Amino acid sequence: MTAPTLPLSGVRVIDFTQVMLGPCATQVLGDFGADVIKIERPGAGDLSRNFFGLSDEKSMNNVVYASLNRNKRSVELDSKTPEGKQALLDLCRTADVVVDNFRAGVMDRLGFGYEALSKLNPRIICASGTGFGPVGPYAHKGGQDVLAQAMTGVMEKTSDPSVPRSIYPTTLCDYTAGMHLVQGIMAALLMREKTGRGQKVGVSLYDSILAMQMQEAAQWNAHREVLNWAAMPLTGYFDATDGGLVIVGAFKENPLRDICKALELEDLSPQYPDLASQRANKPFLQKTFRDRIATKTRGYWLERLEAEDLLCAPVRSLGEALEDPQTRINGMLLEMDLPHYGKVTQMATPVHLSEVTPVLRHLPPRLGQHTAEILAELAQARESQPA
């Protein structure tokens, strides 16, 4: 598939982002055809190039960096030099979207904020992903995934009061905010089709994780009650003889009865007929399930639970999930030849359109790989401008 058939072909994105929040957003834009020009610090580049250790010093690529930066072109430019700043301004003049994930106010101080760029290009869309938003008591605090987990109530909840609070081990906040940033950019591009003008787009880690708790927030605001889906009395993790499984005892007329039938137990639902009584006796119910499941294999219990149409699943490692046939059937694996590494497998985009298949147009770029090419394009654009 060639670039002109992709929905964002012809859209130019100047990408000042690094690490996770911004790069995962701009990679989606690149996957769907945008010309994403990644702005990198001379000699250093995106922090992800170094953070996990380098195997290829010449290209400064590693597989973690590569997982976030396909379908982009890299240019090394120093915004602190007159030449570098002018080149960046020239790029922004040609751009549809400028994206950053710096702290609030940094782009304005560098001279690339919306007020400055919109004077050069009224159609420009300036999209920012911050930790906490552009104003307020935390606006200039460094944003990071773990901090957002801690400050929004996510880390405070556990499935069981006896389980210590802990850091969620996947970058939940960064990815969520990155996808919200994509939504904002797409909405602004559609709005520009109607008005002819660009605008500012803003998301934050803080807002994204608050928004993810929309049901919990509604319950708290209305009733001052904590809604904790993981702590429901018929939901839990249980160890069989050869591995763990989860059961979600919900969305059925009488899930306790059905769980007892699947686990070959006496029906406990007459004793605990409603959610209130099940909550009050959760330790007993959970111990009953746990003791029973521990007597046989995971496969045995999953087959019986499935037969009762109960929500259940094996608890697997990421490696096991990646090897599952469903993962490949869903098109979630993307293979590429990465310099120094050879063939590597990365996660593909999870968005599936019936008429469009994203393609790998650019490998994750070496640091500054496209500097000469992009500067030549700028020079050609200047020459073609009317005197």
Side-chain angles (χ1 to χ4, degrees):
M1 180 171 289
T2 57
T5 62
L6 295 172
L8 294 181
S9 295
V11 173
R12 172 167 281 189
V13 177
I14 307 304
D15 180 8
F16 285 86
T17 71
Q18 57 181 338
V19 189
M20 175 77 183
L21 188 168
C24 75
T26 54
Q27 179 166 268
V28 170
L29 302 177
D31 281 350
F32 285 103
D35 176 21
V36 180
I37 298 176
K38 187 174 179 69
I39 308 302
E40 302 202 69
R41 297 167 296 151
D46 188 323
L47 288 171
S48 291
R49 290 187 183 272
N50 282 291
F51 190 74
F52 293 95
L54 294 175
S55 297
D56 181 2
E57 294 184 6
K58 184 176 179 181
S59 68
M60 296 185 70
N61 273 0
N62 62 62
V63 292
V64 173
Y65 165 83
S67 72
L68 293 159
N69 288 286
R70 64 176 176 264
N71 287 330
K72 304 179 186 182
R73 298 191 289 165
S74 170
V75 57
E76 289 180 278
L77 287 172
D78 187 351
S79 63
K80 296 178 182 178
T81 67
E83 300 81 9
K85 184 169 185 177
Q86 187 57 56
L88 286 169
L89 288 172
D90 289 343
L91 278 172
C92 292
R93 188 179 282 109
T94 71
D96 297 283
V97 185
V98 174
V99 190
D100 80 275
N101 62 338
F102 298 135
R103 297 190 194 197
V106 169
M107 287 293 276
D108 291 315
R109 291 197 296 273
L110 292 174
F112 305 113
Y114 177 72
E115 298 305 321
L117 294 184
S118 63
K119 293 175 182 176
L120 294 177
N121 178 359
R123 291 173 58 81
I124 199 82
I125 294 164
C126 289
S128 294
T130 61
F132 301 95
V135 295
Y138 310 128
H140 300 290
K141 181 179 175 66
Q144 201 272 340
D145 195 281
V146 175
L147 307 188
Q149 293 179 40
M151 294 180 70
T152 58
V154 170
M155 193 180 295
E156 190 270 339
K157 293 191 291 289
T158 65
S159 61
D160 184 324
S162 67
V163 176
R165 295 181 178 90
S166 63
I167 296 168
Y168 188 72
T170 296
T171 52
L172 176 74
C173 309
D174 276 326
Y175 186 77
T176 303
M179 295 307 99
H180 286 161
L181 193 58
V182 173
Q183 291 177 30
I185 290 167
M186 298 301 293
L189 286 168
L190 286 170
M191 187 68 178
R192 193 180 68 177
E193 291 299 304
K194 300 176 180 180
T195 66
R197 293 192 59 82
Q199 61 182 297
K200 289 193 288 187
V201 174
V203 305
S204 70
L205 298 171
Y206 189 79
D207 291 354
S208 287
I209 302 309
L210 283 175
M212 183 180 285
Q213 300 171 88
M214 59 186 73
Q215 299 171 92
E216 294 91 333
Q219 183 74 358
W220 177 259
N221 287 330
H223 304 293
R224 287 297 187 265
E225 290 180 359
V226 174
L227 175 59
N228 184 340
W229 295 110
M232 299 300 280
L234 306 183
T235 294
Y237 168 91
F238 306 97
D239 280 312
T241 57
D242 59 348
L245 60 88
V246 291
I247 301 171
V248 178
F251 310 114
K252 299 200 73 185
E253 180 185 352
N254 189 343
L256 179 54
R257 177 195 62 201
D258 296 341
I259 291 172
C260 290
K261 182 178 179 182
L263 298 184
E264 302 165 339
L265 293 167
E266 175 190 352
D267 182 8
L268 297 172
S269 63
Q271 294 173 255
Y272 312 107
D274 52 31
L275 185 59
S277 62
Q278 291 165 11
R279 277 178 168 162
N281 292 277
K282 178 183 174 181
F284 166 74
L285 292 170
Q286 293 272 315
K287 183 178 188 304
T288 301
F289 300 161
R290 187 164 52 250
D291 290 348
R292 185 61 178 151
I293 290 170
T295 64
K296 288 186 169 62
T297 67
R298 180 167 67 181
Y300 178 85
W301 292 124
L302 287 173
E303 184 176 350
R304 291 192 57 82
L305 290 161
E306 293 276 11
E308 299 302 322
D309 197 28
L310 287 157
L311 294 170
C312 60
V315 176
R316 305 185 304 191
S317 68
L318 173 62
E320 290 172 321
L322 293 175
E323 292 169 4
D324 192 300
Q326 189 70 57
T327 303
R328 190 169 292 279
I329 289 168
N330 287 0
M332 285 305 299
L333 300 178
L334 176 66
E335 292 186 348
M336 63 178 74
D337 284 308
L338 194 64
H340 185 80
Y341 285 94
K343 264 198 190 309
V344 298
T345 302
Q346 304 271 315
M347 298 310 304
T349 181
V351 179
H352 307 290
L353 304 182
S354 64
E355 301 298 318
V356 172
T357 302
V359 294
L360 181 63
R361 296 174 294 114
H362 300 292
L363 287 171
R366 301 187 306 274
L367 178 60
Q369 177 179 345
H370 303 95
T371 302
E373 174 184 305
I374 291 167
L375 292 180
E377 289 174 5
L378 281 178
Q380 186 176 6
R382 290 191 201 102
E383 290 173 5
S384 63
Q385 289 176 352

